Amino acid sequence: MEQSFRWFGPKDVVPLEALRHAGASGVVTSLHQIPYGEVWSVDAIKARQAIIAADPSLDLTWNVVESLPIHERVKMGEGDLSAIYNNYRASMKNLAACGVRVICYNFMPVIDWTRTELRHVLPGGRTALRFNAHEFAAFDVYMLKRPGAEADHTPEALKKGKAWFDASSESDRDALLSNIMAGLPGAFDRYDIEGLRKVLARYREMSKEGLRERLKEWLDQVMPLADELGMAFAMHPDDPPRPLMGLPRIMSNGEDYQWLIKAHDSPANGACLCSGSLGAGVANDVVQIARDIAPRINFVHLRNVAKEPDGSFMEADHLAGDTDMVDLVEVMLTEQKRRKEAGDPHWRLPMRPDHGHELLDDVGKGAFPGYSAIGRLKGLAELRGVMTALARVKGLPM
């Protein structure tokens, strides 16, 4: 697989040379400075490419866009969307003209990935991302005060959540809101409680079926051009794969991905196989999902989570957690072999180690949560070891 690292641009505390230290050659990045719905110009794309290529000795290439965001109005079907669609297609053309062909995106309303702790302290002082079911219940029911929220949480989460809320300070509650909002690392919208209530109200009548209709329209608007340009789209799953704050989720399991593939049957319409997001779903067999949709996987996020009975979960080491990473990597390498034998010039799947513990000298440096250098370096090294062993024993192309 094409070993890559996510990089948040010039303001990222993780420098580009750290990507090379980790053994990555691909750079997964986005133009976060451009507001959603506006055109990514050729000049802006080339400026980012020039930064990445400034030191030729690093031999780094921008190989995946993560992400070219979809405007919230598209998800709501709000107003005349022709200008937004035109701008999106213009950005696609400009990316293709600059040689960037893989675009990762998601269709999660309002918020992207959601955690309640960004730096949960583990033995020895390293930290991990964590989702505590009771803290999210406290946020949803007692801070947000969303009507009907109690029905979406277990009695245990509600009881523990009420105890947390009663014992919390204003600072604790502010920190919880900030943690939940942190799942939008490049977004322009950050919400306080009142602002979040207002944006949620706009989705009050939106069902899963309704949101699927919005996605279907978006696919029909952009996929024909993606086919024409030879681009590959990779839809990221919901994170976590469950409804949050009354918002529908439409990419949470294997059935949802089968729906996606059928909704617009095109080689460009594919999946980002994120083993951590899917792995947080109690009923999800991540390895089997990967087998079922392997021909449509265009990008791979490899990480692991450890789930708990109450719905909580924590980012585990890449080779620990609930997903058998060796089996999953074998599925990916087997699919690569199929593509290579079929003559696909893009047979190597771009992958990146997703998230990682904050370790050693990275503790306290202020990297984006989950995106410190050393934790991801460790994860990529472990995954590279798995790939190397499978390549040696089973003759699968890395």
Side-chain angles (χ1 to χ4, degrees):
M1 285 185 275
E2 187 177 4
Q3 298 169 40
S4 311
F5 244 49
R6 192 172 189 182
W7 186 61
F8 291 98
K11 294 183 180 180
D12 197 333
V13 302
V14 178
L16 282 169
E17 54 264 29
L19 280 62
R20 194 60 188 169
H21 292 183
S25 59
V27 181
V28 177
T29 192
S30 178
L31 302 184
H32 293 301
Q33 74 274 18
I34 300 178
Y36 292 9
E38 294 189 9
V39 175
W40 288 18
S41 69
V42 168
D43 286 346
I45 296 165
K46 286 186 174 180
R48 178 59 56 86
Q49 289 178 316
I51 294 171
I52 293 169
D55 183 349
S57 70
L58 299 180
D59 196 23
L60 297 173
T61 302
W62 184 2
N63 62 340
V64 179
V65 174
E66 188 176 352
S67 60
L68 181 58
I70 298 172
H71 199 284
E72 205 69 24
R73 283 178 52 203
V74 171
K75 300 171 191 176
M76 291 185 288
E78 185 178 83
D80 182 359
L81 299 173
S82 56
I84 290 176
Y85 283 131
N86 287 338
N87 287 353
Y88 201 97
R89 287 189 289 259
S91 297
M92 290 168 58
K93 290 177 182 177
N94 292 341
L95 283 162
C98 295
V100 184
R101 63 174 294 274
V102 181
I103 296 177
C104 178
Y105 72 102
N106 74 73
F107 216 77
M108 289 179 265
V110 183
I111 56 175
D112 286 4
W113 59 264
T114 303
R115 303 291 186 272
T116 61
E117 287 187 82
L118 303 183
R119 289 180 170 85
H120 177 78
V121 180
L122 297 171
R126 64 177 174 162
T127 69
L129 293 165
R130 183 175 171 84
F131 181 93
N132 292 315
H134 71 281
E135 287 183 341
F136 194 80
F139 176 80
D140 196 17
V141 177
Y142 304 113
M143 289 175 58
L144 192 58
K145 298 180 181 178
R146 180 173 63 87
E150 292 87 350
D152 292 343
H153 304 277
T154 66
E156 178 187 3
L158 289 170
K159 181 179 178 180
K160 290 179 66 177
K162 183 62 163 62
W164 182 93
F165 180 79
D166 289 342
S168 66
S169 65
E170 183 175 352
S171 176
D172 293 331
R173 297 169 195 174
D174 288 345
L176 181 58
L177 172 63
S178 178
N179 290 349
I180 290 170
M181 289 296 103
L184 296 166
F188 280 77
D189 291 327
R190 288 288 191 274
Y191 306 107
D192 58 14
I193 291 294
E194 189 54 39
L196 189 53
R197 287 180 184 139
K198 287 179 180 178
V199 74
L200 290 175
R202 295 161 70 186
Y203 278 97
R204 190 166 292 151
E205 304 303 319
M206 181 70 76
S207 64
K208 178 173 182 176
E209 292 70 26
L211 192 59
R212 276 184 167 181
E213 289 177 7
R214 305 310 312 149
L215 174 57
K216 175 68 166 64
E217 178 178 311
W218 182 83
L219 293 169
D220 291 342
Q221 288 283 338
V222 303
M223 288 303 154
L225 178 60
D227 282 328
E228 179 184 325
L229 297 172
M231 303 190 87
F233 274 72
M235 186 173 182
H236 192 283
D238 303 325
D239 186 9
R242 67 186 74 171
L244 296 177
M245 295 182 288
L247 295 166
R249 300 289 225 182
I250 60 172
M251 207 53 52
S252 294
N253 52 44
E255 187 273 332
D256 288 336
Y257 271 112
Q258 294 293 348
W259 177 90
L260 173 73
I261 291 167
K262 294 174 183 176
H264 191 103
D265 192 5
S266 154
N269 179 28
C272 170
L273 194 286
C274 179
S275 57
S277 298
L278 291 169
V282 175
N284 284 341
D285 181 338
V286 179
V287 176
Q288 188 58 52
I289 292 172
R291 289 194 186 102
D292 291 342
I293 66 170
R296 288 295 186 90
I297 295 173
N298 290 329
F299 184 33
V300 184
H301 290 179
L302 294 179
R303 64 180 172 90
N304 228 323
V305 299
K307 298 185 290 292
E308 299 171 17
D310 69 347
S312 302
F313 61 89
M314 189 177 72
E315 306 279 359
D317 288 324
H318 285 75
L319 300 188
D322 297 335
T323 295
D324 188 324
M325 196 60 70
V326 176
D327 282 356
L328 182 59
V329 171
E330 184 175 355
V331 172
M332 297 296 95
L333 297 187
T334 300
E335 172 59 19
Q336 282 195 157
K337 181 180 180 182
R338 184 195 69 79
R339 296 181 189 192
K340 185 177 182 182
E341 292 174 348
D344 184 349
H346 305 294
W347 63 268
R348 293 190 75 210
L349 282 164
M351 63 78 72
R352 66 174 179 83
D354 196 13
H355 299 177
H357 291 172
E358 195 175 59
L359 303 173
L360 303 172
D361 292 346
D362 277 343
V363 175
K365 282 189 176 177
F368 285 107
Y371 291 98
S372 59
I374 300 172
R376 288 184 292 158
L377 179 153
K378 175 176 177 286
L380 183 56
E382 292 171 344
L383 295 166
R384 186 183 303 119
V386 172
M387 288 189 284
T388 302
L390 288 170
R392 176 72 62 85
V393 174
K394 301 209 171 186
L396 298 171
M398 285 181 61

